[in-house]
Amino acid sequence: MAGGIIFALVVDQYRQTMHMREDIRDIKNHLGLMNKGEAQEYEMDQEYTQVDRLDSEEMNMINRRIEAELEKGSKNNKP
């Protein structure tokens, strides 16, 4: 029982630490205190999070657009 309680406390502390880390990243980005690598990583994480929240209709539309661009690119590369 004690092991379960300790595990739950550790998981909760980890979750809180991750939220604080994200909040600090948001503040650093807002204030322009990130270096170039951090800013790029932050933008990629934000895009990933945004894509993760899309509904199926939006995902299908994006997939169709990507497929059309890939087909267009492959037709342009053929001799």
Side-chain angles (χ1 to χ4, degrees):
M1 177 108 161
I5 293 171
I6 292 171
F7 179 74
L9 290 172
V10 169
V11 168
D12 184 53
Q13 185 65 35
Y14 176 77
R15 188 180 55 79
Q16 288 178 3
T17 302
M18 292 305 295
H19 285 291
M20 285 190 300
R21 181 178 174 268
E22 289 300 316
D23 291 342
I24 290 169
R25 287 178 70 202
D26 290 340
I27 292 167
K28 282 178 71 175
N29 183 59
H30 180 74
L31 296 175
L33 299 175
M34 289 184 165
N35 64 32
K36 187 175 182 178
E38 288 176 324
Q40 288 176 342
E41 182 181 334
Y42 177 80
E43 291 299 323
M44 288 181 0
D45 287 344
Q46 292 299 316
E47 288 177 17
Y48 176 76
T49 302
Q50 182 183 12
V51 168
D52 193 36
R53 294 179 183 158
L54 295 176
D55 64 10
S56 63
E57 184 177 321
E58 291 171 324
M59 285 297 287
N60 287 335
M61 186 172 59
I62 291 170
N63 287 337
R64 280 182 267 155
R65 190 177 320 139
I66 290 170
E67 288 172 0
E69 289 178 20
L70 289 173
E71 287 178 14
K72 181 179 163 183
S74 67
K75 288 179 183 178
N76 290 338
N77 290 335
K78 288 184 180 180

